Amino acid sequence: MSFTTAKLSGVGLLVALWILPSASAAPGGDAKRALSSARVEIVESPAATEAFVPRTSMIQSMVAHGIARLTGKTDSRAAWLSLVSTQDVVGLKVYSPPGPNSGTRPAVAGAIINGLIEAGLPRSNIVIWDRNLAELRLAGFAEVAEFYGVRLIGSANEGYDEREFYDSELLGNLMWGDLEFGRKGSGVGRKSFVSKLLTRELTKIINITPLLNHNLAGVSGNLYGLASGSVDNFFRFERDAQRLARAVPEIYALPAVGDKVALSVVDALISQYEGGERGLLHYSTTLNQLRFSLDPVALDTLSLKDLQEQRERAGAPKIKPHTDLYANAALLELGINDVKRIQIDRLKEAP
């Protein structure tokens, strides 16, 4: 069995993987057999923010050190080029709905863009993207794109590819902009089509997500952020935690989506443990951290753990953590969801 088709049904993916006889028979060969553990680099600096505002020079230093430590390269250019090439079209996937204070911070995206440009990537080959162009602008990413001379694109604005989709028995209430909006007939509303931005232009993705709680997914993290921003007809999964827990990892597992991810980053400068997609700094903790990994599941698993601990320290109402999504992701061999199997390397930078 393989993931070479984007048309496998949601049920088929999970059921088929239950019967894999051994790790050696898993999709991806040696790369998948290496999923016995994961590594996360955490770079922290008490000077990373001031009154919740990121300090650009410190963020750039933290990004440079995090990438070097993750890749084992001493030269910044070599570190970036071990993840992407100068011929790649690299899309920085940010999470913009909560705005600049609680979503992905523009300063973090800017620091990564600066590293890519210094490594030799043409500015025209770098894209900042999320689902909605208007939300990107409201979150401050238009200014970043203009400053660095890179492109700003909403995946929904690019339209959707009829050949690449996720199929689920759950029918969606189609909205304007969805590929099948206005169509009639049997099966209309079963599919979530992948944006043409991913299928026709981007060759690599750097996924940058905030440390922000999500009431159903647990965290608005690497898995949820990329899945929700890559396809149409997604809101049908947003009303039920179990539906979301199955759909998100299966969408991420599509070749046109997760296979393009070269790096996953958690913007943990500020952690918001309540509030979902709303920016609520009074439910936030300043951590002044950036986290880097090749394993999106490991990053999200650590985020879930941290959010739960912050709720307890703040005396917030206890919430049963939503872990099924990440267990399903591990089943699909997208990464590690066991904290005991995640190696954490820490670097604390001086102010």
Side-chain angles (χ1 to χ4, degrees):
M1 190 193 75
S2 76
F3 290 131
T4 57
T5 175
K7 302 179 179 62
L8 286 174
S9 71
V11 176
L13 281 173
L14 285 177
V15 170
L17 278 172
W18 274 113
I19 61 174
L20 285 172
S22 68
S24 61
D30 291 340
K32 293 298 181 184
R33 284 198 293 273
L35 289 179
S36 59
S37 63
R39 185 161 64 93
V40 172
E41 294 289 341
I42 298 179
V43 182
E44 179 179 356
S45 172
T49 62
E50 184 175 0
F52 293 114
V53 178
R55 298 176 62 189
T56 300
S57 60
M58 183 57 67
I59 302 303
Q60 289 184 347
S61 174
M62 293 168 70
V63 167
H65 287 141
I67 294 302
R69 288 169 66 90
L70 181 68
T71 60
K73 307 291 184 182
T74 56
D75 175 73
S76 178
R77 183 175 188 274
W80 283 112
L81 293 182
S82 69
L83 300 171
V84 299
S85 77
T86 54
Q87 286 75 45
D88 278 317
V89 179
V90 180
L92 277 69
K93 169 64 176 71
V94 298
Y95 191 67
S96 61
N101 294 321
S102 297
T104 304
R105 280 130 203 123
V108 178
I112 291 174
I113 291 170
N114 185 69
L116 293 173
I117 292 172
E118 289 185 348
L121 269 76
R123 297 172 193 266
S124 59
N125 282 20
I126 302 173
V127 176
I128 304 172
W129 71 280
D130 199 1
R131 172 187 286 276
N132 190 290
L133 185 58
E135 290 178 339
L136 283 164
R137 289 171 173 158
L138 288 171
F141 290 102
E143 289 85 351
V144 176
E146 182 179 3
F147 179 83
Y148 286 102
V150 302
R151 291 180 289 158
L152 187 73
I153 297 178
S155 59
N157 303 85
E158 295 298 289
Y160 295 95
D161 194 329
E162 194 136 12
R163 300 170 300 175
E164 300 287 342
F165 56 83
Y166 170 69
D167 192 356
S168 168
E169 72 280 2
L170 179 65
L171 293 178
N173 184 16
L174 296 172
M175 299 178 290
W176 187 87
D178 291 339
L179 190 146
E180 292 186 320
F181 178 74
R183 295 185 186 180
K184 305 293 182 182
S186 176
V188 171
R190 283 182 55 110
K191 298 183 177 74
S192 290
F193 295 90
V194 181
S195 170
K196 291 178 182 177
L197 175 65
L198 280 77
T199 62
R200 302 187 182 182
E201 182 158 10
L202 300 183
T203 60
K204 291 288 176 64
I205 294 171
I206 295 176
N207 200 9
I208 317 167
T209 60
L211 185 45
L212 170 69
N213 93 293
H214 188 285
N215 293 335
L216 293 182
V219 61
S220 299
N222 290 275
L223 297 177
Y224 172 83
L226 185 58
S228 63
S230 297
V231 300
D232 72 352
N233 193 19
F234 184 83
F235 295 107
R236 57 185 168 147
F237 307 119
E238 296 271 22
R239 299 178 182 178
D240 182 87
Q242 290 306 310
R243 290 172 178 172
L244 199 66
R246 191 174 76 183
V248 164
E250 291 178 350
I251 292 170
Y252 193 103
L254 297 176
V257 182
D259 283 4
K260 295 187 175 182
V261 177
L263 174 67
S264 297
V265 180
V266 173
D267 171 356
L269 297 175
I270 301 165
S271 170
Q272 182 174 310
Y273 55 86
E274 296 284 358
E277 292 188 355
R278 294 173 295 157
L280 299 172
L281 290 179
H282 55 289
Y283 289 132
S284 302
T285 302
T286 302
L287 298 182
N288 286 325
Q289 295 179 355
L290 296 178
R291 303 174 180 184
F292 306 85
S293 185
L294 303 181
D295 188 324
V297 185
L299 283 173
D300 285 356
T301 297
L302 291 178
S303 294
L304 284 174
K305 178 176 178 291
D306 286 348
L307 289 172
Q308 190 72 4
E309 290 174 352
Q310 288 167 39
R311 288 190 197 100
E312 292 175 0
R313 284 195 293 269
K318 291 186 178 181
I319 300 174
K320 182 180 179 181
H322 294 284
T323 57
D324 287 350
L325 191 157
Y326 308 97
N328 288 343
L331 179 64
L332 289 174
E333 299 195 325
L334 300 178
I336 299 297
N337 72 324
D338 181 355
V339 174
K340 295 178 181 178
R341 296 163 58 198
I342 301 173
Q343 175 188 337
I344 302 173
D345 297 329
R346 298 178 183 270
L347 172 65
K348 189 164 185 176
E349 294 197 347

